[in-house]
């Protein structure tokens, strides 16, 4: 199908992928908020609107430690394991078909979640959910890279990243939904939204021409491209790039904070402000959706213009400034005894700190060599998800041992989360700064890679070779590498 890169149809595809990502995140974090409803069940079990009707924890009899398994390793181990597979097959299979398959699997898992009566069923649902969601991000980012030119990819990634926050906001509304229609029906409604999107993707999205090799018109498989490296060869090639290693490390640390926030922020407000839990459901939905989405979108747009003004490391300066400036507002959110002041701090923190996503993704899209793209994204997904799950488990362990079994549990929980997030933000800022030093060098080692004759392989936009080389020269000092990768967690 003929299309103009970044044109009307490309934007339509982007917004459909955004809706898919919203479904992805809504289903992923649904458990986190439904579990928090347990702290609000002051209505007796005999009341049709209380007990098992509202509370997943009460209906399934899961404990805090079992919740930690469900929120952490149960999902993420299956997610990262299949991520290693789906990252590779994205370069070989029809990406639209992979997204449809993922939608079918993860929404089926959400239906299963809504029928659960015990921990084993919840565990199975979370494992299947991880398998299904592993199909989405690699295929979606690959499509974005093919539908948008490099100079507009930062903004496109920023729009796509909005799905994280809108999906998280809808998950927060699940607290209120469970009060009205029950937690089981909340799961079914969430799955119904995903099924409708599956039909939209099936009918309205087309597989574009790939960057490398020739694509079979019927199967969508790529042939004639470069030999696929082994996993060990990919690891060795990625490890040769100091920029890639620093980005992997910095993003892994940053995702520790993301996972901890997603798992324990609803619990924090339920314990610290139990009388405001219903209000928190609505406010959190607005804060996460609006604040996080606006930060992500502006982060991608601002750095695109900042780098054009002559700052080669702008894409990594944004997450550094965002985390450092956002940290005091996080402290305000966690330490304030007033609920209203706390949510104001949460809002400002989201506006500042969540700008890191799109700029870092844009750098990764240029830093990972194309021939190890699939392996690289699989490894990246594995590392970031494993580090995030480990952080969730560690915080949950100390939460049980230190905060909830002693007097002053709410105060100890504040300090535990503040200490964890402060360390995460400071460490990732240092690592992003080290990576920015590499981008700031006009003639770094990456410049040698820039001179390799890869342009003829990537020119899919009906431009002449000369035009393509000229457009790449504009971003040569900024991006460091010209090999594009479009898959990401």
């Amino acid at each position: 199908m003929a299309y103009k890169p970044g044109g009307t149809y490309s934007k339509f595809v982007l917004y459909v992928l955004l809706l898919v990502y919203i479904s992805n995140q809504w289903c992923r974090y649904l458990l986190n908020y439904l579990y928090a409803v347990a702290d609000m069940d002051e209505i007796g079990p005999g009341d049709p609107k209380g007990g098992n009707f509202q509370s997943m924890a009460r209906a399934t009899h899961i404990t805090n430690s079992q919740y930690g398994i469900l929120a952490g390793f149960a999902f993420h181990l299956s997610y990262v394991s299949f991520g290693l597979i789906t990252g590779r097959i994205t370069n070989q299979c029809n990406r639209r078909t992979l997204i449809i398959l993922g939608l079918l699997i993860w929404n089926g898992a959400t239906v299963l979640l809504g029928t659960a009566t015990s921990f084993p069923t919840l565990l199975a649902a979370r494992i299947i959910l991880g398998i299904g969601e592993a199909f989405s991000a690699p295929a979606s980012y690959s499509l974005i890279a093919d539908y948008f030119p490099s100079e507009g990819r930062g903004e496109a990634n920023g729009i796509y990243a909005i799905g994280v926050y809108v999906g998280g906001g809808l998950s927060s509304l699940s607290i209120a939904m469970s009060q009205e229609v029950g937690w089981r029906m909340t799961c079914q409604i969430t799955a119904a939204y995903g099924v409708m999107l599956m039909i939209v993707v099936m009918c309205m999205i087309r597989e574009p021409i790939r960057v490398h090799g020739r694509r079979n018109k019927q199967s969508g498989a790529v042939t004639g491209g470069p030999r696929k490296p082994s996993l060990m060869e990919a690891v060795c090639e990625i490890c040769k790039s100091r920029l890639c290693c620093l980005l992997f490390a910095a993003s892994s640390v940053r995702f520790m904070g993301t996972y901890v926030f997603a798992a324990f922020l609803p619990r924090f407000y339920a314990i610290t402000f139990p009388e405001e839990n219903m209000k928190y459901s609505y406010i959190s939905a607005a804060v996460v959706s609006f604040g996080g989405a606006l930060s992500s979108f502006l982060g991608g747009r601002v750095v695109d213009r900042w780098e054009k003004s002559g700052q080669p490391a702008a894409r990594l300066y944004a997450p550094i400034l965002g985390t450092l400036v956002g940290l005091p507002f996080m402290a305000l959110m966690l330490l304030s005894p007033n609920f209203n002041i706390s949510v104001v701090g949460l809002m400002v923190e989201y506006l500042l700190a969540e700008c890191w996503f799109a700029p870092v993704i844009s750098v990764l899209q240029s830093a990972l060599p194309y021939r190890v793209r699939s392996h690289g994204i699989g490894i990246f997904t594995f590392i970031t998800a494993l580090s995030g799950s480990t952080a969730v488990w560690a915080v949950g362990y100390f939460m049980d041992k230190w905060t909830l079994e002693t007097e002053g549990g709410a105060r100890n929980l504040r300090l535990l989360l503040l200490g964890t997030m402060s360390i995460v933000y400071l460490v990732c800022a240092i690592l992003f700064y080290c990576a920015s030093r590499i981008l700031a060098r006009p003639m770094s080692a990456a410049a040698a890679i820039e001179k390799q004759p890869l342009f003829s392989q990537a020119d899919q936009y009906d431009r002449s070779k000369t035009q393509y080389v000229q457009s790449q020269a504009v971003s040569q000092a900024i991006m460091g590498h010209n090999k594009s990768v479009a898959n990401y967690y």
Side-chain angles (χ1 to χ4, degrees):
M1 177 181 178
Y3 64 91
K4 177 183 178 182
T8 302
Y9 183 73
S10 296
K11 293 177 181 177
F12 171 77
V13 171
L14 175 63
Y15 286 113
V16 172
L17 293 177
L18 167 62
L19 294 176
V20 172
Y21 201 24
I22 290 172
S23 171
N24 182 297
Q25 298 298 303
W26 189 0
C27 292
R28 179 179 303 188
Y29 295 113
L30 184 63
L31 173 78
N32 301 40
Y33 289 94
L34 291 180
Y35 181 73
V37 177
D39 296 289
M40 298 161 51
D41 281 338
E42 298 178 356
I43 304 175
D47 191 301
K49 287 282 182 116
N52 295 342
F53 180 81
Q54 295 179 2
S55 172
M56 170 189 287
R58 184 169 297 179
T60 58
H61 308 289
I62 60 173
T63 64
N64 287 332
S65 59
Q66 289 174 330
Y67 165 71
I69 295 173
L70 294 172
F73 289 107
F75 170 82
H76 293 111
L77 286 181
S78 63
Y79 179 84
V80 299
S81 298
F82 273 80
L84 293 172
I85 300 173
T86 57
R88 181 176 180 84
I89 66 176
T90 293
N91 281 353
Q92 301 171 325
C93 300
N94 186 296
R95 290 163 288 186
R96 185 196 68 158
T97 301
L98 292 178
I99 293 173
I100 293 171
L101 180 60
L103 279 162
L104 179 63
I105 295 174
W106 85 60
N107 287 289
T110 304
V111 172
L112 179 61
L113 184 74
T115 64
T117 57
S118 62
F119 173 73
T121 308
L122 292 173
L123 181 64
R126 291 292 287 179
I127 292 174
I128 297 172
L129 182 72
I131 295 173
E133 295 203 352
F135 286 88
S136 177
S140 295
Y141 275 107
S142 181
L143 286 174
I144 291 173
D146 283 349
Y147 272 113
F148 288 87
S150 60
E151 59 269 20
R153 209 171 287 156
E155 184 173 336
N157 285 329
I159 293 174
Y160 180 71
I162 291 173
V164 174
Y165 310 105
V166 177
L170 291 173
S171 298
S172 179
L173 285 178
S174 301
I175 295 177
M177 290 174 63
S178 68
Q179 301 266 315
E180 298 298 326
V181 300
W183 72 272
R184 297 185 187 277
M185 182 56 68
T186 299
C187 293
Q188 311 310 322
I189 293 173
T190 306
Y193 166 73
V195 172
M196 289 189 293
L197 282 176
M198 183 178 67
I199 297 174
V200 172
V201 173
M202 190 181 303
C203 298
M204 307 189 75
I205 301 299
R206 299 288 182 267
E207 177 77 1
I209 300 173
R210 291 180 181 263
V211 173
H212 286 254
R214 298 183 299 275
R215 182 171 59 86
N216 185 285
K217 293 184 178 180
Q218 295 181 346
S219 66
V222 177
T223 59
R227 181 184 71 84
K228 300 294 187 300
S230 67
L231 177 61
M232 187 56 64
E233 289 174 334
V235 171
C236 293
E237 185 165 347
I238 292 170
C239 289
K240 291 177 182 178
S241 170
R242 188 176 173 222
L243 177 60
C244 286
C245 292
L246 286 170
L247 290 175
F248 275 42
S251 298
S252 296
V253 174
R254 183 62 180 82
F255 267 110
M256 289 182 181
T258 300
Y259 279 43
V260 167
F261 242 39
F264 294 107
L265 195 61
R267 186 73 169 162
F268 164 77
Y269 276 100
I271 294 174
T272 308
F273 305 104
E275 70 284 355
E276 304 287 359
N277 219 339
M278 177 63 81
K279 185 188 296 185
Y280 166 75
S281 173
Y282 294 105
I283 293 178
S284 175
V287 167
V288 174
S289 299
F290 176 75
L294 182 61
S295 178
S296 177
F297 174 73
L298 292 179
R301 169 165 287 192
V302 169
V303 297
D304 278 347
R305 285 154 178 73
W306 192 3
E307 70 175 15
K308 288 178 181 178
S309 69
Q311 178 50 259
R315 295 185 185 273
L316 293 182
Y317 287 160
I320 296 171
L321 295 174
T323 54
L324 294 179
V325 178
L327 186 56
F329 293 96
M330 176 177 294
L332 176 66
M333 177 199 71
L334 293 172
L335 298 178
S336 175
N338 182 280
F339 175 77
N340 294 325
I341 296 177
S342 178
V343 294
V344 169
L346 175 63
M347 178 65 181
V348 178
E349 191 277 338
Y350 260 95
L351 284 172
L352 296 172
E354 296 305 315
C355 68
W356 78 280
F357 189 86
V360 172
I361 292 305
S362 298
V363 177
L364 277 173
Q365 286 176 321
S366 298
L368 282 171
Y370 180 84
R371 82 183 202 96
V372 297
R373 170 193 291 181
S374 56
H375 283 305
I377 291 306
I379 296 168
F380 180 79
T381 302
F382 180 85
I383 293 174
T384 54
L386 187 61
S387 62
S389 298
T390 302
V392 170
W393 172 83
V395 171
Y397 175 82
F398 286 107
M399 188 173 171
D400 283 336
K401 296 298 181 181
W402 184 44
T403 63
L404 300 184
E405 297 179 2
T406 62
E407 295 183 2
R411 178 183 61 83
N412 291 338
L413 179 57
R414 294 173 189 267
L415 297 178
L416 175 61
L417 292 179
L418 179 60
T420 300
M421 299 304 296
S422 297
I423 294 173
V424 164
Y425 275 27
L426 292 175
V427 171
C428 77
I430 293 172
L431 292 173
F432 279 132
Y433 174 74
C434 294
S436 71
R437 296 292 299 273
I438 298 177
L439 287 184
R441 300 170 188 169
M443 293 301 296
S444 63
I449 301 178
E450 285 283 327
K451 298 179 182 179
Q452 294 180 5
L454 298 175
F455 301 123
S456 60
Q457 297 177 357
D459 186 7
Q460 61 167 337
Y461 298 132
D462 297 325
R463 302 172 181 176
S464 67
K465 183 176 180 180
T466 301
Q467 289 174 321
Y468 185 83
V469 172
Q470 288 174 345
S471 68
Q472 290 298 308
V474 173
S475 60
Q476 179 174 352
I478 302 170
M479 303 301 293
H481 302 188
N482 75 329
K483 300 177 181 180
S484 96
V485 59
N487 308 330
Y488 181 73
Y489 170 148

